[in-house]
Amino acid sequence: DTGVSQNPRHKITKRGQNVTFRCDPISEHNRLYWYRQTLGQGPEFLTYFQNEAQLEKSRLLSDRFSAERPKGSFSTLEIQRTEQGDSAMYLCASSSTRTGLAFFGQGTRLTVV
Amino acid sequence: AQKVTQAQTEISVVEKEDVTLDCVYETRDTTYYLFWYKQPPSGELVFLIRRNSFDEQNEISGRYSWNFQKSTSSFNFTITASQVVDSAVYFCALSDALYNQGGKLIFGQGTELSVKP
């Protein structure tokens, strides 16, 4: 499978716990994006990497959120001290600078109880 | 500020009916890109079309067609002879040229299409 892969697909956690999600982009893509999608809404941009550099962060990305892409390949998104409001689908996308077109993974659905 | 509005939250049609999903956008950029994505229940966003702001030609792909009108800032999507497999949430999205034709996208709220047999 050569698409964008996200793990885990589902995560249930207790309020206050830390969680980490992983995204493996399409192998030749140097750009990687994280989005958050709450129920009944469209995805909202969180952050963007070009290779290993994090080039933009949305105001939605509070201090409890951190994203990394250490070797310019896979990326992780960590949420510390989760809150019920963090419950959402977290989507990852990747693109190449050649075409710019983003391809999305199937997302990680987070439920904070 | 950039914004995408999909005024239709839910649409329900019977199979074989034609259906049009509306999309209105706002941007101050002269160069921008418009997209439609499909999100089936599995959650993955499936790319359908990308159109740049200089190309107002309508496009047809099988049962799908798109009508781009800069004068009204609209980029509507029509499915002809709808099928049950078309049932999904459809998103219209906007990107500026800085992000190289896509990637950082501003999405509308989505339109949930239900096609009944």
Side-chain angles (χ1 to χ4, degrees):
Chain A
D1 191 329
T2 57
V4 178
S5 177
Q6 291 188 246
N7 288 288
R9 293 291 313 280
H10 303 274
K11 178 73 177 178
I12 300 174
T13 191
K14 291 183 179 179
R15 191 174 53 179
Q17 297 293 306
N18 299 344
V19 293
T20 300
F21 311 140
R22 177 178 170 124
C23 172
D24 287 90
I26 294 171
S27 58
E28 62 267 28
H29 286 181
N30 60 340
R31 293 183 171 186
L32 188 146
Y33 306 82
W34 284 99
Y35 287 81
R36 182 173 70 186
Q37 184 179 18
T38 53
L39 204 60
Q41 300 297 316
E44 296 172 293
F45 170 79
L46 291 178
T47 189
Y48 151 60
F49 291 85
Q50 179 156 313
N51 300 312
E52 65 275 11
Q54 188 173 18
L55 297 186
E56 185 172 343
K57 292 196 290 187
S58 161
R59 285 173 292 178
L60 292 175
L61 214 65
S62 76
D63 291 345
R64 297 184 297 105
F65 287 70
S66 63
E68 293 183 345
R69 195 183 183 198
K71 296 182 180 179
S73 57
F74 73 91
S75 175
T76 58
L77 177 67
E78 181 184 16
I79 308 174
Q80 296 183 327
R81 304 181 302 282
T82 52
E83 301 172 356
Q84 286 190 317
D86 297 331
S87 295
M89 174 81 89
Y90 290 84
L91 292 162
C92 176
S94 68
S95 70
S96 70
T97 48
R98 184 175 64 84
T99 69
L101 185 58
F103 292 87
F104 284 81
Q106 290 185 295
T108 295
R109 183 170 296 283
L110 173 67
T111 302
V112 182
V113 297
Chain B
Q2 296 183 320
K3 185 179 179 181
V4 175
T5 301
Q6 295 179 254
Q8 304 151 309
T9 306
E10 296 178 14
I11 299 177
S12 183
V13 299
V14 177
E15 206 170 20
K16 297 185 183 176
E17 284 186 21
D18 299 347
V19 57
T20 295
L21 310 182
D22 297 333
C23 173
V24 174
Y25 63 92
E26 297 175 29
T27 181
R28 293 180 181 175
D29 296 330
T30 53
T31 302
Y32 52 89
Y33 297 85
L34 295 164
F35 302 77
W36 277 94
Y37 281 86
K38 175 181 180 180
Q39 189 174 44
S42 60
E44 181 177 353
L45 283 162
V46 178
F47 167 78
L48 296 177
I49 189 171
R50 174 175 61 189
R51 184 46 63 112
N52 75 52
S53 52
F54 298 108
D55 182 2
E56 287 192 72
Q57 245 186 339
N58 291 334
E59 180 155 342
I60 298 174
S61 175
R63 296 184 297 107
Y64 295 171
S65 62
W66 291 269
N67 182 292
F68 176 27
Q69 292 196 335
K70 284 178 78 169
S71 61
T72 56
S73 298
S74 65
F75 186 44
N76 296 338
F77 172 31
T78 297
I79 302 174
T80 302
S82 59
Q83 300 176 1
V84 172
V85 294
D86 296 327
S87 296
V89 182
Y90 290 86
F91 291 97
C92 181
L94 170 68
S95 176
D96 64 34
L98 179 65
Y99 286 88
N100 191 32
Q101 306 176 61
K104 181 187 176 185
L105 299 162
I106 308 297
F107 284 88
Q109 302 96 314
T111 297
E112 183 172 5
L113 175 64
S114 176
V115 181
K116 302 188 186 308

